[in-house]
Amino acid sequence: LRKSGKCLGGGSQVPSSPVRGASRGRGRSGLPPGGGCNGLLSGVRGVWAPRLTPLLLPPAARGAGASMNLERVPNEEKLNLCRKYYLGGFALLPFLWLVNVLWFCREAFLAPAYTEQPQIKSYVQRSALGLLFWVVVLTTWVTIFQTHRARWGELGDYLSFTIPLGIP
Amino acid sequence: MAAGAAGGGSWRMGAAERRGRGAETLFRGLLFCVLGCGFCWGNSVERKIYIPLNKTAPCVRLLNATHQIGCQSSMNGDTGVIHVVEKDQDLKWVLTDGPHPPYMVLLEGELFTRELMLQLKGSSRISGLAVAISKPSPAQGFSPGLKCPNDGFGVYSNDYGPQYAHCNGTVWNPLGNGLAYEDFNFPIFLLEDANETQVIKQCYHDHNLPQNGSVPEYPLCAMQLFAHMHAVTNTVTCMRRSSLQTAFSLNPEEVCDALSDYNVWSTLKPINASSKIDPMDEVIIVATRIDSHSFFWNVAPGAESAVASFVTHLAAAEALHKVPDVKTLPRNIMFTFFQGETFDYIGSSRMVYDMEIDKFPIRLDNIYSFLELSQVALRDSSVLWVHTDPVSLRNESIQPQVKTLVEALMTSSVGANVSLQEVNQSQPLPPSSFQRFLRAKHIPGVVLADHRSSFQNRYYQSMYDTAENILMKYPEGLSPEETLDYVTDTAKSLAEVATVVARALYQLAGGTGNTSAIQADPRTVSRMLYGFLIKTNNSWFQSIIKQDLKGLLGDELPQHYIAVTQLVNTTQLVQYVLANLTGTVVNFTKEECLNPEKTPNPEKEMYVYTWAQGSRDPNSTSRVPFCVRSTVHLSKAASPAFELKQWGSTEYSTWTESRWKDIRARIFLVASKELEIITLVVGIAILILSLLATYFINAKAHVLFSSSGDAGAVAY
């Protein structure tokens, strides 16, 4: 039986596989026994079905089963994503640069060459630089604050969100 | 419920299945019960390990504008191997020789001196201290207070009598070692019960004693003290942090509270407390303090430093109210009981401040003279000394008034067993509430005390300032009721002082009659001394309090510490006793008494109505309550520094007490560090081993668990 209707999270319909009796070995992982959907939110049951993957995922990946896998994403989609993450990190969001570096590292440096790769490589390098800058700044500030807060007296108390009890 | 559903569907099933289902639910129910009860019974393991110490008093952290004093422990308590120090040589083991630092010292009360404490303070091998209270009190005296109490907050400063400032002229408390004003970074507890001390010593003798010179081996007896204080540095910091937290945090965590309570005051002739009295009216203020302090939190018996004085004051007030013509006296008398005087004059500074900003019915200009009762219980050969302020005496308008005051006192002492003598006029006033009034305005006044120069009290502001210190002796074998009514010599002596004070006040207020009829009742004095020093839960106190305040009276020794909660027991009891001794019984019902504004009465603003539950008949169990009409009022005793938000003030008291979560103490046996590490490593090894085993078994499952032939219907 094929179920009609929408899939949550933009997954596509998967026909139900017949139950095979007398089969040995392990079953295929990931596919539910009956028919259903697969995709990012295939496990979510319910009536509420927002479109949660407008920008953050490659569009083609919505039908590819595994969500963060870049294998079947076309190259210009990859470049688009990399650029979006790179530009987004300028909004004081260093974690976007961290994700960019980790996600596209293999694509930029280890995969066989293709046309968009140099641009992806430059984006990854610039994200890495930005990330390094942020790490240095934050580490310095955290070290200074933790060691000098007690000495700053009033200023230290105004800068603190939680003040430890019982120590200066 | 599953059981219900199973029961509901079972009528369709067969009999055998029904029985199976029933057994299953029964089993489930039993399991549930066992698990639930196991929660409660599981604590028996804790009881087998730890012995809690219940009768202890901690040392807490107090802060003022510039310093922090008291003790601090780590957040999860401080643990240390117990070592009993009974003589000075035992300390060497703790400081240098012992092989298992840090140590938790159990100290005999006699050795609790400044030298020893400073040695411990500098050492890193100490994780805490437990002091066993010494019975009887140390013979050489013990006072953890300062040598110069309330220095810098009295009247003598560089601008006013600099030769008397900082106790240059007279050292009032020469035995004071200042321990209570030191800052310790380890917890210090007081062991009040000798039985608990014996338990600890027994544990020490069983496990910690070096045998034949050899080092004691693990497991050793250890003690853990929890007393983590939240406030640090000083009042400015902790109040700033508290106000930041309340303003900006979702879950405010206040760290300290100001020491505050209420003063009790009453007037001889009733006045309207909500408006000001006539500027031409003259009032004589009689003052005593009602609080004390010691090294430990909420341990403040204060017999000689506070209780004896305010009991005398109460007796004098009672004697004066019995005089028939008090309503026609030209001048009024205000009986004031100041709370918080131990901490840089909290109560009196607040009253002076209220008088200055016109928030109090009486102004400073109304004050005709001031009489203060300082420590009066230990009179040497019946002499009572009269202290005056030498600086204000040089003022020509003050001097004759002080002379009148002293003369009234001298004439009143004729016939009583009290001989009044003036001290040398070049000696300053002892620490007293009168000094705060002098700071604001030159008022003629005297301070009565039993000491000529330094205190007679050898246990000033310590845990040993108890009934024994003021020589209250009861004969053996008396029941509590008989003890309440027995008149001690101390009570008789204090009653004499009260008589002298009452007669002098009558004369000063302009009374012209014969004063020989004014007598303080020694029996009342004795009952008050019993109630405030030995047991508050006695029949007389029970009869004068309101019905629903049963938590007020306890069976343990009464303590007189100001604390941060409002209306401590002492303040409330002084209020009730004063109302009962100076008020009149009126014929009101309970509703009329508790809501006096509902009855049409022109005089009701002048009086305060208190409902007392009355005494119990010996035959029945019910009480006969009554309504007392008196002029007893409360006025807030919180330092003006907190009203004005000047937390760093050097003008007003800034004492605050830190907050804390958990204060307790326990002893247990502790194992060596090596054993703990071995246990941990073995546990981690077993964990890793079991993870590996599970992984391998899972990987080779098809080899290990294969069977010939198919396994039947495969689920998936």
Side-chain angles (χ1 to χ4, degrees):
Chain A
L1 289 168
R2 200 175 238 210
K3 277 203 206 133
S4 62
K6 290 217 160 106
C7 284
L8 290 174
S12 66
Q13 301 277 347
V14 169
S16 60
S17 53
V19 175
R20 285 191 289 267
S23 73
R24 281 187 213 179
R26 289 124 46 102
R28 227 168 293 146
S29 61
L31 288 175
C37 300
N38 48 33
L40 179 62
L41 295 172
S42 60
V44 176
R45 303 263 179 268
V47 186
W48 181 65
R51 292 280 167 202
L52 283 180
T53 57
L55 287 172
L56 299 179
L57 270 192
R62 292 174 207 161
S67 44
M68 300 304 268
N69 197 350
L70 291 173
E71 280 170 23
R72 295 203 211 155
V73 177
N75 287 341
E76 65 177 47
E77 290 287 341
K78 285 186 210 168
L79 180 61
N80 216 8
L81 267 178
C82 196
R83 185 190 300 126
K84 278 192 195 134
Y85 272 77
Y86 169 70
L87 291 175
F90 279 108
L92 301 179
L93 297 169
F95 272 102
L96 284 184
W97 283 339
L98 176 69
V99 169
N100 210 12
V101 166
L102 293 176
W103 201 11
F104 285 98
C105 198
R106 180 183 287 249
E107 286 295 318
F109 297 105
L110 299 173
Y114 52 91
T115 34
E116 285 86 356
Q117 201 190 41
Q119 283 182 292
I120 291 182
K121 193 190 275 194
S122 81
Y123 281 137
V124 170
Q125 280 170 338
R126 280 187 251 171
S127 300
L129 267 177
L131 183 67
L132 185 66
F133 168 75
W134 269 100
V135 166
V136 165
V137 165
L138 284 179
T139 311
T140 315
W141 167 246
V142 167
T143 316
I144 291 176
F145 185 74
Q146 290 295 328
T147 47
H148 286 70
R149 182 192 55 83
R151 239 167 293 170
W152 286 341
E154 195 171 347
L155 179 64
D157 287 344
Y158 282 124
L159 284 176
S160 300
F161 183 71
T162 320
I163 304 174
L165 300 172
I167 60 174
Chain B
M1 281 287 289
S10 66
W11 64 272
R12 284 203 201 106
M13 303 176 197
E17 284 187 8
R18 215 180 301 153
R19 252 178 270 131
R21 282 290 171 115
E24 198 185 306
T25 49
L26 187 64
F27 173 68
R28 264 193 229 145
L30 267 177
L31 190 66
F32 180 72
C33 282
V34 167
L35 283 175
C37 296
F39 254 129
C40 320
W41 292 341
N43 277 339
S44 67
V45 174
E46 191 180 353
R47 260 181 271 140
K48 284 184 187 151
I49 301 175
Y50 300 107
I51 300 178
L53 304 172
N54 294 325
K55 302 234 180 42
T56 54
C59 147
V60 301
R61 179 172 275 172
L62 293 164
L63 308 102
N64 72 358
T66 48
H67 290 85
Q68 63 181 25
I69 68 174
C71 319
Q72 168 75 304
S73 86
S74 316
M75 188 158 309
N76 293 320
D78 280 310
T79 318
V81 173
I82 299 176
H83 189 75
V84 174
V85 173
E86 278 164 340
K87 38 191 193 304
D88 280 322
Q89 296 86 325
D90 294 337
L91 201 59
K92 216 159 140 305
W93 181 265
V94 171
L95 291 177
T96 45
D97 294 342
H100 310 292
Y103 282 96
M104 203 35 98
V105 177
L106 175 62
L107 194 63
E108 290 293 318
E110 295 275 344
L111 292 171
F112 190 43
T113 58
R114 189 181 170 87
E115 297 75 30
L116 192 134
M117 291 304 291
L118 289 182
Q119 276 185 296
L120 292 180
K121 188 175 169 178
S123 167
S124 61
R125 289 167 52 108
I126 304 279
S127 62
L129 180 65
V131 180
I133 192 168
S134 127
K135 284 199 161 68
S137 316
Q140 70 275 21
F142 174 75
S143 170
L146 293 169
K147 280 197 161 61
C148 199
N150 292 348
D151 186 28
F153 290 86
V155 70
Y156 301 109
S157 63
N158 292 334
D159 305 320
Y160 186 103
Q163 68 272 39
Y164 307 118
H166 312 302
C167 290
N168 270 339
T170 323
V171 175
W172 296 110
N173 188 21
L175 290 169
N177 52 28
L179 268 183
Y181 292 82
E182 292 282 333
D183 182 34
F184 296 99
N185 60 357
F186 51 83
I188 304 178
F189 274 56
L190 175 71
L191 301 169
E192 291 166 326
D193 189 4
N195 293 339
E196 276 185 357
T197 315
Q198 196 46 44
V199 166
I200 302 174
K201 285 190 180 166
Q202 189 60 43
C203 185
Y204 167 76
H205 282 292
D206 290 338
H207 297 101
N208 292 16
L209 263 187
Q211 300 286 347
N212 302 332
S214 70
V215 161
E217 286 185 0
Y218 280 103
L220 295 173
C221 200
M223 179 153 60
Q224 188 172 29
L225 300 177
F226 297 81
H228 179 68
M229 300 289 132
H230 292 176
V232 269
T233 324
N234 51 34
T235 296
V236 178
T237 309
C238 85
M239 291 302 286
R240 179 183 68 224
R241 288 185 182 182
S242 293
S243 61
L244 276 177
Q245 289 275 322
T246 38
F248 294 118
S249 174
L250 294 169
N251 200 8
E253 186 87 55
E254 297 199 1
V255 290
C256 66
D257 299 297
L259 291 175
S260 74
D261 201 82
Y262 286 86
N263 298 322
V264 181
W265 62 275
S266 159
T267 47
L268 191 62
K269 296 191 290 181
I271 62 168
N272 192 345
S274 45
S275 67
K276 312 280 177 289
I277 65 170
D278 194 272
M280 290 294 121
D281 282 349
E282 290 174 326
V283 180
I284 301 165
I285 299 190
V286 190
T288 43
R289 68 167 69 172
I290 59 174
D291 75 317
S292 182
H293 183 48
S294 79
F295 187 82
F296 300 98
W297 181 70
N298 214 18
V299 173
E304 152 85 332
S305 59
V307 176
S309 325
F310 74 72
V311 163
T312 315
H313 189 174
L314 287 165
E318 184 199 21
L320 267 175
H321 270 268
K322 289 206 190 111
V323 175
D325 60 343
V326 283
K327 298 286 185 284
T328 58
L329 287 172
R331 299 188 192 98
N332 205 345
I333 301 177
M334 183 166 111
F335 306 103
T336 328
F337 298 84
F338 290 114
Q339 179 72 280
E341 298 302 275
T342 315
F343 293 100
D344 296 338
Y345 306 121
I346 297 177
S348 51
S349 65
R350 180 56 185 265
M351 184 171 278
V352 171
Y353 175 75
D354 284 344
M355 286 180 175
E356 282 174 335
I357 62 171
D358 263 352
K359 279 249 169 74
F360 197 74
I362 297 172
R363 289 193 198 86
L364 283 167
D365 301 321
N366 293 113
I367 302 178
Y368 173 73
S369 62
F370 199 102
L371 177 67
E372 174 155 356
L373 288 163
S374 182
Q375 306 174 78
V376 291
L378 293 175
R379 286 184 294 135
D380 213 7
S381 56
S382 320
V383 180
L384 195 63
W385 296 96
V386 179
H387 295 257
T388 52
D389 172 40
V391 178
S392 64
L393 267 187
R394 294 186 214 135
N395 192 339
E396 279 102 28
S397 57
I398 302 289
Q399 194 172 26
Q401 289 179 315
V402 173
K403 224 160 177 288
T404 329
L405 193 48
V406 176
E407 270 170 20
L409 283 165
M410 295 291 194
T411 49
S412 313
S413 69
V414 170
N417 193 8
V418 175
S419 86
L420 282 163
Q421 287 187 32
E422 280 188 77
V423 301
N424 197 343
Q425 295 224 331
S426 65
Q427 190 171 270
L429 285 173
S432 50
S433 319
F434 180 39
Q435 291 199 22
R436 288 305 300 201
F437 282 80
L438 275 181
R439 257 171 101 119
K441 181 173 186 283
H442 280 192
I443 300 170
V446 295
V447 175
L448 299 176
D450 56 15
H451 55 88
R452 183 185 196 160
S453 54
S454 33
F455 291 161
Q456 295 273 37
N457 190 358
R458 289 176 313 128
Y459 304 105
Y460 181 66
Q461 284 178 7
S462 82
M463 51 192 170
Y464 300 114
D465 193 3
T466 54
E468 284 88 40
N469 190 25
I470 56 172
L471 314 170
M472 265 171 68
K473 289 194 193 63
Y474 290 98
E476 302 284 319
L478 289 181
S479 73
E481 271 307 306
E482 290 166 353
T483 325
L484 175 67
D485 285 329
Y486 182 81
V487 181
T488 51
D489 291 332
T490 319
K492 289 184 194 146
S493 142
L494 290 177
E496 302 273 335
V497 176
T499 307
V500 169
V501 167
R503 288 179 186 169
L505 285 172
Y506 178 76
Q507 280 186 346
L508 287 168
T512 46
N514 193 354
T515 59
S516 58
I518 304 177
Q519 286 271 4
D521 185 8
R523 191 165 157 269
T524 318
V525 173
S526 194
R527 289 167 110 195
M528 285 195 283
L529 284 176
Y530 179 81
F532 285 109
L533 285 176
I534 297 177
K535 195 155 99 145
T536 48
N537 194 10
N538 54 65
S539 58
W540 182 43
F541 278 12
Q542 281 168 7
S543 68
I544 60 174
I545 63 169
K546 219 161 60 160
Q547 218 170 359
D548 48 14
L549 290 177
K550 293 252 173 65
L552 187 53
L553 304 179
D555 285 328
E556 62 281 333
L557 287 173
Q559 309 296 344
H560 309 289
Y561 169 61
I562 178 174
V564 296
T565 51
Q566 299 302 305
L567 280 182
V568 289
N569 292 352
T570 309
T571 315
Q572 291 196 56
L573 284 174
V574 166
Q575 185 191 10
Y576 281 115
V577 169
L578 185 62
N580 199 272
L581 292 180
T582 59
T584 46
V585 178
V586 290
N587 199 0
F588 279 9
T589 63
K590 187 173 180 181
E591 290 74 34
E592 287 170 355
C593 196
L594 292 174
N595 304 309
E597 58 271 3
K598 300 225 178 99
T599 16
N601 189 353
E603 282 190 330
K604 62 178 184 289
E605 287 135 14
M606 316 277 251
Y607 292 103
V608 167
Y609 293 87
T610 322
W611 183 250
Q613 67 173 355
S615 49
R616 184 180 284 157
D617 286 338
N619 299 332
S620 70
T621 53
S622 65
R623 294 178 181 271
V624 183
F626 54 94
C627 187
V628 177
R629 187 185 70 177
S630 64
T631 58
V632 175
H633 304 275
L634 294 173
S635 91
K636 189 118 185 78
S639 173
F642 296 100
E643 300 295 310
L644 301 168
K645 298 250 188 314
Q646 293 168 2
W647 298 320
S649 167
T650 48
E651 166 98 10
Y652 300 111
S653 164
T654 48
W655 283 104
T656 51
E657 184 187 87
S658 165
R659 284 203 189 184
W660 58 82
K661 281 243 166 63
D662 196 20
I663 290 194
R664 54 200 169 97
R666 57 188 184 182
I667 62 172
F668 49 93
L669 287 179
V670 76
S672 63
K673 264 277 174 293
E674 289 80 24
L675 184 61
E676 289 177 5
I677 292 174
I678 288 173
T679 315
L680 179 67
V681 167
V682 166
I684 292 177
I686 292 177
L687 173 70
I688 293 175
L689 210 64
S690 59
L691 285 175
L692 284 172
T694 312
Y695 175 71
F696 276 118
I697 292 175
N698 201 21
K700 306 286 178 210
H702 60 282
V703 171
L704 288 169
F705 299 114
S706 70
S707 54
S708 55
D710 294 334
V714 172
Y716 178 59

